[in-house]
Amino acid sequence: MSTVQSVDRALDVLEALADQGGEAGLSEIAARTGLPYGTIHRLLQALLSRGYVRQESDRRYALGGALMRLGGAAERMVGVWAQPYLSKLVALSGETANLAVLEGDFVVYVAQAASPRRLRMFAEVGRRVLPHSTAVGKVLLADRPDAAAILARTGLPRRTEHTITTVEAVLAELDAVRSRGYAMDFGEEELGVHCLAVPVRDGSRVIAGMSISGPVERIEALDREELAEGMREIAADFGREIFPAH
């Protein structure tokens, strides 16, 4: 049991670092995990030796490069696991479905299921876009306490005439996203294309977003609330598969 407990606590430390934006001091890790300083120090030494954590010059700790290998493999697997759920979104809406995550300040598309229609939208897997102009980006930002800082860093470039380009206006939109449970992109990333996105949760946190996108006329013809409800159910099922309750 002590070995299992150590693994569990090491994961708590890594998750605490991730929750702090990838970097934290010993006191911040202790506050998030509730673990004694001595235990945290021993766990950090083990993680340091394997490259999963590194120590900065100011004695703070950060997630290490060894996680990139695991993260890349996990991301590919999540894309595979997502396909049946994305296919359900296509069946529900008739439009192309995407799964995306937030990496740093960028939205990255990690999986897609194409619409069977001749005229359909594509967002290449691996494509990186800024979050303020996309529905899936808004869903991801809406769960982030540092959303304002992310928006300030990106500069909110105008992608189309419909792009929201002030931090205050995007933050107001994020409030609306949290209230209604879904986000919209009304041609803000690409003219003539509308998108609707819902969050994928690991229980409490939003860890990804699922979206459908299509020509404005077809998206506007759908019952938005009914579509969003169906999408939320599919996203919740997917979240339970990749993050089963402990």
Side-chain angles (χ1 to χ4, degrees):
M1 285 299 296
S2 61
T3 301
V4 173
Q5 186 180 59
S6 294
V7 172
D8 195 45
R9 288 177 170 179
L11 293 173
D12 286 342
V13 169
L14 291 174
E15 289 179 355
L17 286 169
D19 289 342
Q20 289 290 108
E23 182 182 288
L26 198 62
S27 61
E28 293 167 312
I29 298 171
R32 283 196 169 264
T33 63
L35 296 173
Y37 278 63
T39 299
I40 295 170
H41 183 73
R42 288 193 297 273
L43 293 169
L44 285 169
Q45 292 307 305
L47 292 167
L48 280 163
S49 70
R50 299 290 295 271
Y52 293 113
V53 167
R54 71 174 189 269
Q55 189 167 22
E56 306 288 61
S57 57
D58 59 0
R59 300 180 65 82
R60 290 169 65 81
Y61 295 90
L63 295 175
L67 289 169
M68 294 178 64
R69 177 170 55 85
L70 298 182
E75 188 173 279
R76 288 190 294 273
M77 290 309 301
V78 167
V80 171
W81 298 332
Q83 285 303 317
Y85 298 93
L86 295 177
S87 295
K88 289 180 181 179
L89 291 183
V90 174
L92 180 69
S93 66
E95 304 297 343
T96 296
N98 297 288
L99 178 74
V101 298
L102 196 64
E103 291 186 1
D105 293 344
F106 288 86
V107 171
V108 181
Y109 291 93
V110 296
Q112 182 178 93
S115 166
R117 294 175 172 178
R118 183 171 299 177
L119 177 60
R120 56 193 177 187
M121 302 299 111
F122 285 101
E124 311 85 42
V125 172
R127 181 186 177 198
R128 294 162 60 86
V129 298
L130 290 174
H132 70 288
S133 57
T134 63
V136 73
K138 294 174 189 176
V139 157
L140 293 164
L141 280 182
D143 192 59
R144 291 289 295 260
D146 59 342
I150 293 173
L151 293 170
R153 285 196 299 269
T154 63
L156 308 181
R158 185 179 296 279
R159 295 286 297 163
T160 75
E161 62 192 65
H162 304 299
T163 306
I164 305 172
T165 57
T166 68
V167 172
E168 294 77 12
V170 177
L171 292 176
E173 177 68 9
L174 298 184
D175 285 339
V177 170
R178 287 187 287 269
S179 175
R180 65 178 178 247
Y182 66 89
M184 292 294 302
D185 157 16
F186 296 108
E188 297 157 48
E189 174 68 19
E190 185 176 349
L191 284 174
V193 178
H194 281 196
C195 306
L196 189 154
V198 297
V200 178
R201 301 180 183 275
D202 67 355
S204 58
R205 298 172 303 175
V206 174
I207 47 89
M210 282 183 161
S211 68
I212 59 101
S213 59
V216 53
E217 297 84 2
R218 295 207 307 247
I219 298 298
E220 289 304 297
L222 297 170
D223 184 318
R224 192 179 301 165
E225 296 296 330
E226 183 178 335
L227 175 61
E229 180 60 30
M231 290 178 65
R232 281 194 294 265
E233 291 177 6
I234 292 168
D237 288 343
F238 179 56
R240 283 190 288 268
E241 177 179 337
I242 59 175
F243 286 100
H246 296 296

